[in-house]
Amino acid sequence: MDFTKKMLRDGALENKVIVVTGGGSGLGKAMTKYFLELGANVAITSRDLAKLEKTAAELESENGGTRRSGAKCLPLQCDVRDYAQVENMLDSVIAAFGKVDVLLNNAAGNFISPTERLSANAFDTIIDIVLKGTKNCTLAFGKHWIDTKKKDNVILNIVTTYAWTGSAYVVPSATAKAGVLAMTRSLAVEWAKYGIRSNAIAPGPFPTKGAWDRLLPGDLAEKFDMAKKVPLQRVGDHQELANLAAYLVSDFSAYVNGEVITIDGGEWLKGAGQFNVLEAIPEPMWDMLEAMIKAKKST
């Protein structure tokens, strides 16, 4: 069996309107691509409108199934840290498609560093994007659904396997993702009566060009090969994650609520905390790593 194949039948997401935060690249783009192929209209958001527009045009033009089904990809600039921008983004989605059925909180930020090297602002940046941004979108969309009495809505959050174990050297991310996981489980109970399901996916290593280059610049990706930590001896394929996400936002998962599904090849069971291996990095290498990250940011 080929795990890179698509799982759901054609048209499985027809008539669905899905919002994917951080949808312009990486895993967000991969999930958006599959949602479109299955017939959903998808709004993708981030702060970089140019990237969003490029992604939307690319996905609509390359997918013959998208053209046949009439599914649209709508790029919308939105900084999820700003609640007013989130409300404006929601209004734009409703104006374009008449409704919204699914919120996929995927926008995130992360970097590796000894915690004592972080400034308060650096810590806040990750907390604001991951936890505050997820809260802003969840609250805005939830209030809309409750006020309009619309049923059969889904919130799907992307967390991490270290949301429940913690992980050294990515403390802001671990802190924020743990908060998102608690929010997921809490609202699954509180908002079920309004017809809102709330679930999460905890991916293990699914390398993406931008995010992993920032996390492990230079030759560090080879020195700390994540595949070696996975019992299956490989990293995840983006279609595998897209398959799981499509199932969880579809009507086929209508009885799944309050769950966090791990998709990591058994990695966290083998050794909790993805970045604990970085204990082996000596102080001089941290100086070099910090310089490489700063240099990459400036390019």
Side-chain angles (χ1 to χ4, degrees), residues 47 81 108-130 162 167-175 177 210-217 220 275 278 286 289-290 292-294 296-297:
R47 289 173 292 171
R81 298 173 296 182
N110 197 7
F111 43 77
I112 58 172
S113 174
T115 306
E116 69 273 14
R117 287 176 174 249
L118 294 174
S119 67
N121 184 63
F123 206 115
D124 286 348
T125 296
I126 304 304
I127 296 291
D128 286 351
I129 295 171
V130 177
Y162 56 73
S167 178
Y169 304 104
V170 285
V171 172
S173 174
T175 302
K177 292 291 191 181
W212 284 65
D213 280 354
R214 289 190 296 271
L215 280 171
L216 299 171
L220 283 176
F275 292 92
L278 298 179
W286 279 117
L289 175 60
E290 191 170 321
M292 283 190 288
I293 292 174
K294 287 179 178 178
K296 187 170 286 290
K297 281 185 176 180

Side-chain angles (χ1 to χ4, degrees), residues 1-8 34 37 237-244:
M1 185 176 70
D2 186 350
F3 57 81
T4 66
K5 296 295 185 184
K6 298 166 178 57
M7 182 176 74
L8 296 185
Y34 192 37
E37 290 172 357
D237 183 89
H238 288 195
Q239 185 61 46
E240 292 178 282
L241 181 64
N243 283 337
L244 178 56

